[in-house]
Amino acid sequence: MKAAFLHQLVLRREETVRRWLHTLRESPVYSALGNPETLRFMIGPTLDRLFTAVREHVEDGWSPEAPPAKVRLMEAASRCALNPMIGYYLAGEAALVSMVKEIAPCADFSETDLLVSESQLLVLLREMGRAEITGFCEICRVREPMKAMAGHTGSGLPAMCPFKAAMEGRSEPGRTLNV
């Protein structure tokens, strides 16, 4: 990743925070933990961690011919609207992508460099998000999300927590689970 690309992102940090928060405010909230006014305090530290991770990968030799492995933000078993980290990281990704689209190629980096750097940035963000999403699923105590949110209507609420179901499946002898 080009150091000049990171510099451009750092210059746009406050606008990134504003867009991230705006996207959070526009998204549906299924639990108190997903309140945008609570999550807003995580945006700055998340960007700090992301920019630190980017600095550590500035000179990686990724190229358009050999892109990084596709990293999913979450496993299928973690897809539950009660996990506020999913919306949080999706909002962050949207904010960062919109900021990258405003960076113009220059003498320090070409259009190709921008696209490669954007891909690298998103891989790092998804790796961070995946760890936090999974961590939240591990400590969540809700076994039946649909019942827990009886007053809400939402297609994102499964009847049984897929993460807990997957964990129960792993503990059965002779059974393997693909998550």
Side-chain angles (χ1 to χ4, degrees):
M1 186 179 302
K2 298 280 187 168
F5 172 79
L6 176 59
H7 178 71
Q8 289 297 315
L9 281 178
V10 170
L11 291 175
R12 292 166 168 78
R13 180 188 174 97
E14 291 307 312
E15 180 62 15
T16 303
V17 169
R18 190 191 69 69
R19 290 181 188 190
W20 194 328
L21 183 56
H22 174 76
T23 303
L24 284 172
R25 287 178 175 155
E26 296 296 315
S27 301
V29 176
Y30 295 100
S31 71
L33 294 173
N35 181 336
E37 299 311 313
T38 302
L39 294 173
R40 76 181 303 157
F41 298 105
M42 293 176 50
I43 297 171
T46 300
L47 285 173
D48 290 343
R49 287 182 27 233
L50 178 62
F51 292 161
T52 297
V54 168
R55 282 184 194 96
E56 293 171 359
H57 290 87
V58 167
E59 297 303 321
D60 282 357
W62 295 354
S63 71
E65 296 81 27
K70 183 177 180 175
V71 174
R72 291 182 289 174
L73 178 60
M74 72 199 110
E75 294 290 346
S78 296
R79 294 182 183 147
C80 174
L82 294 181
N83 188 327
M85 303 316 297
I86 296 170
Y88 175 77
Y89 277 96
L90 289 173
E93 188 169 318
L96 286 164
V97 167
S98 72
M99 294 309 303
V100 170
K101 299 301 178 212
E102 294 180 5
I103 299 173
C106 62
D108 293 329
F109 47 84
S110 67
E111 181 71 30
T112 299
D113 293 330
L114 276 172
L115 293 172
V116 169
S117 294
E118 178 185 40
S119 294
Q120 293 171 327
L121 178 73
L122 294 178
V123 164
L124 294 171
L125 181 68
R126 289 174 186 156
E127 287 173 349
M128 288 172 45
R130 182 187 191 108
E132 290 195 26
I133 289 167
T134 302
F136 186 88
C137 284
E138 289 172 351
I139 63 168
C140 178
R141 308 289 286 165
V142 177
R143 295 192 66 73
E144 297 175 334
M146 197 174 292
K147 282 184 183 177
M149 298 302 294
H152 267 284
T153 57
S155 59
L157 295 170
M160 171 66 175
C161 172
F163 187 84
K164 288 170 189 57
M167 292 298 106
E168 289 170 4
R170 285 185 180 173
S171 64
E172 291 179 29
R175 183 171 176 188
T176 59
L177 180 68
N178 295 326
V179 256

